[in-house]
């Protein structure tokens, strides 16, 4: 298995390191010290720098002003962003933009994607359903406008109506940075059980955003849709569109977990190398070294499974199991691994790890958010079991 990155992928990672070099993880109030969100908006100066560095258009084709790179390159950039707890919807914007390019209406893609690359538009996605413990596509219903009008007994239905658009009803919870977004991608299910992705504007009629706050202290929103009308132009109705977008979001979350875990282990190594007990650095004690070594093994397993999943998405390569199997394995390792890394870091830092003047507690809060995003390890273990049952291995 060769995980050697191309020159273009390495260049993207290097550019990301340059952009994130000046970002301080403690640039906003601690989530432990404020009752609500740590800030009202995303980090707009950082967002502008990402746009100037062509990192928001990384996976867009040249015709939309992008570099035409693959999800592996995006994951490399996400890994760097998590090392500094970058407060930007990089994953959500890039994933939705890539899905729009791949499955969306060409004229809408041509209108929106160049603006996304320039940092003029922020995109996000509702992927948690009503409660975070159910398929997101079942949380919102989509009906053809003519059918909805007929159900309501409107004059338009009695006069024949049209099939010009769709009507959405339902709720998506914990939508990241929805208040800052220009467009929200919402999966919705038709009466026939088909899944569509609708692009809605937070300000349009029938859309309500209820304030929520993440474990990491960032703004989320419960997005409520009541008779929200959209045109067919704003839909991605390819049968595989939502599965592909969710796969990319999940794999990107694994990249965030890896970058965060690596930053935390480096922080722990530096601290235990300086902290002395009985006249020796605590890093020289066998019990400390063994715990740190175990976490290093976790990170290497997280890395290997991440690149396997990203490679499957990027290439569409066949395997013994569908790509969903590799993604499930990656998310199992990401969720469990990042939790173990931050817990061990807190233990080895002692009381210092909980000091709100030291950034470790912020990484712990972000790690918990990442661990549960797009499903905890148990949910992906169940999904992997279903895949194994459906695909007998010879």
């Amino acid at each position: 298995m060769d995980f050697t990155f191309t020159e273009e992928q390495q260049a993207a990672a290097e550019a990301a390191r340059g952009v994130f070099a000046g970002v301080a993880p403690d640039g906003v109030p601690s989530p432990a010290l404020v009752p609500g969100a740590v800030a009202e908006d995303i980090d707009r100066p950082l967002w502008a720098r990402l746009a100037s560095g062509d990192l928001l258009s990384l996976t867009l084709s040249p015709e939309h002003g992008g570099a035409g790179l693959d999800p592996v390159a995006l994951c490399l950039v996400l890994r760097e962003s998590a090392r500094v707890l970058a407060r930007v919807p990089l994953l959500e914007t890039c994933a939705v933009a890539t899905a729009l390019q791949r499955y969306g209406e060409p004229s809408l893609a041509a209108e929106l994607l160049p603006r996304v690359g320039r940092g003029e538009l922020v995109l996000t996605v509702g992927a948690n359903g009503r409660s975070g413990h159910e398929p997101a596509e079942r949380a919102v219903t989509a009906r053809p406008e003519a059918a909805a009008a007929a159900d309501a007994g409107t004059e338009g239905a009695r006069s024949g109506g049209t099939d010009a658009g769709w009507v959405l009803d339902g709720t998506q919870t914990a939508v990241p940075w929805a208040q800052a977004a220009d467009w929200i991608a919402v999966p919705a299910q038709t009466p026939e059980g088909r899944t569509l992705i609708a692009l809605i504007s937070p300000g349009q009629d029938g859309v309500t955003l209820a304030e929520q706050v993440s474990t990491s202290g960032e703004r989320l929103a419960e997005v409520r849709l009541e008779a929200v009308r959209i045109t067919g132009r704003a839909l991605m109705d390819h049968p595989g569109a939502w599965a592909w977008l969710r796969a990319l979001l999940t794999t990107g979350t694994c990249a965030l977990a890896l970058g965060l875990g690596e930053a935390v282990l480096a922080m722990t190594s530096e601290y235990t190398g300086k902290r002395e007990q009985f006249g020796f650095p605590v890093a020289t004690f066998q019990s400390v070294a063994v715990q740190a070594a175990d976490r290093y093994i976790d990170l290497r397993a997280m890395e290997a499974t991440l690149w396997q999943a990203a490679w499957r998405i990027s290439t569409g390569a066949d395997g013994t199991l569908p790509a969903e199997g590799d993604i499930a394995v990656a998310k199992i390792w990401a969720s469990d691994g990042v939790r173990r890394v931050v817990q061990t870091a807190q233990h080895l830092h002692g009381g210092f790890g909980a000091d709100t003047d030291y950034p470790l507690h912020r990484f712990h809060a972000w790690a918990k958010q990442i661990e549960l995003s797009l499903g905890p390890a148990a949910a992906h273990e169940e999904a992997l079991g279903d895949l194994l049952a459906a695909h007998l291995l010879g």
Side-chain angles (χ1 to χ4, degrees):
M1 190 177 296
D2 183 6
F3 287 146
T4 302
F5 300 115
T6 66
E7 290 184 7
E8 292 82 2
Q9 291 165 347
Q10 293 178 51
E14 184 177 350
R17 283 191 287 272
V19 170
F20 293 123
V23 178
D26 51 2
V28 293
S30 165
L33 300 179
V34 294
V38 296
E40 290 297 306
D41 198 7
I42 65 174
D43 187 340
R44 293 287 177 175
L46 176 58
W47 193 248
R49 294 200 298 274
L50 288 168
S52 298
D54 296 326
L55 294 174
L56 298 181
S57 58
L58 200 65
T59 58
L60 301 181
S61 65
E63 68 178 293
H64 298 309
L69 298 185
D70 59 13
V72 172
L74 174 60
C75 287
L76 284 166
V77 174
L78 290 168
R79 181 188 193 177
E80 297 300 325
S81 76
R83 294 179 190 270
V84 296
L85 307 184
R87 300 184 49 261
V88 287
L90 180 61
L91 169 58
E92 294 81 8
T93 293
C94 291
V96 173
T98 308
L100 177 60
Q101 174 177 264
R102 187 181 179 104
Y103 298 109
E105 206 277 331
S107 67
L108 183 63
E111 176 186 332
L112 298 184
L113 295 184
R115 297 186 63 197
V116 171
R118 294 194 296 268
E120 298 171 3
L121 295 178
V122 172
L123 310 180
T124 190
V125 55
N128 292 303
R130 283 182 291 264
S131 64
H133 300 286
E134 61 182 342
E137 63 273 18
R138 297 181 186 174
V140 176
T141 61
R143 293 179 295 165
E145 193 165 20
D151 290 344
T154 65
E155 185 65 30
R158 289 191 287 274
S159 62
T162 65
D163 196 20
W166 293 75
V167 178
L168 306 180
D169 291 280
T171 299
Q172 290 284 350
T173 194
V175 179
W177 287 300
Q179 296 87 344
D182 299 284
W183 294 95
I184 303 173
V186 177
Q189 200 165 67
T190 69
E192 299 80 25
R194 190 160 53 98
T195 299
L196 314 172
I197 303 175
L199 282 179
I200 64 169
S201 169
Q204 72 186 82
D205 291 343
V207 179
T208 304
L209 304 186
E211 187 82 8
Q212 296 178 317
V213 180
S214 72
T215 302
S216 58
E218 299 298 336
R219 293 183 81 186
L220 306 174
E222 182 181 76
V223 179
R224 302 167 184 166
L225 309 178
E226 185 174 354
V228 175
R229 285 169 167 77
I230 63 167
T231 65
R233 183 170 181 256
L235 282 179
M236 291 176 256
D237 60 359
H238 186 281
W242 172 241
W244 188 90
L245 175 54
R246 193 176 193 281
L248 181 54
L249 289 167
T250 306
T251 305
T253 303
C254 296
L256 294 174
L258 176 62
L260 186 150
E262 289 174 330
V264 167
L265 189 61
M267 191 184 308
T268 305
S269 175
E270 181 180 5
Y271 176 79
T272 56
K274 295 177 179 178
R275 178 75 167 90
E276 290 190 0
Q277 285 283 2
F278 311 111
F280 297 94
V282 296
T284 62
F285 298 168
Q286 186 178 36
S287 62
V288 173
V290 167
Q291 290 181 72
D294 285 342
R295 300 297 76 83
Y296 177 83
I297 292 170
D298 276 335
L299 290 172
R300 297 291 69 81
M302 291 163 65
E303 184 177 21
T305 54
L306 162 65
W307 299 130
Q308 174 71 10
W311 174 73
R312 290 291 301 274
I313 295 175
S314 298
T315 64
D318 292 330
T320 306
L321 291 177
E324 289 80 2
D326 289 303
I327 294 165
V329 171
K331 189 57 167 68
I332 291 165
W333 272 105
S335 291
D336 282 345
V338 78
R339 185 188 69 252
R340 288 193 291 260
V341 168
V342 294
Q343 287 177 343
T344 297
Q346 287 281 11
H347 175 63
L348 296 182
H349 275 81
F352 195 53
D355 188 338
T356 55
D357 291 328
Y358 186 69
L360 180 58
H361 75 287
R362 297 174 183 268
F363 284 87
H364 202 153
W366 277 69
K368 178 55 67 175
Q369 183 69 29
I370 291 171
E371 176 192 347
L372 301 179
S373 294
L374 279 300
H380 290 276
E381 287 166 354
E382 183 177 351
L384 181 61
D386 292 340
L387 285 169
L388 290 169
H391 298 80
L392 296 179
L393 305 180

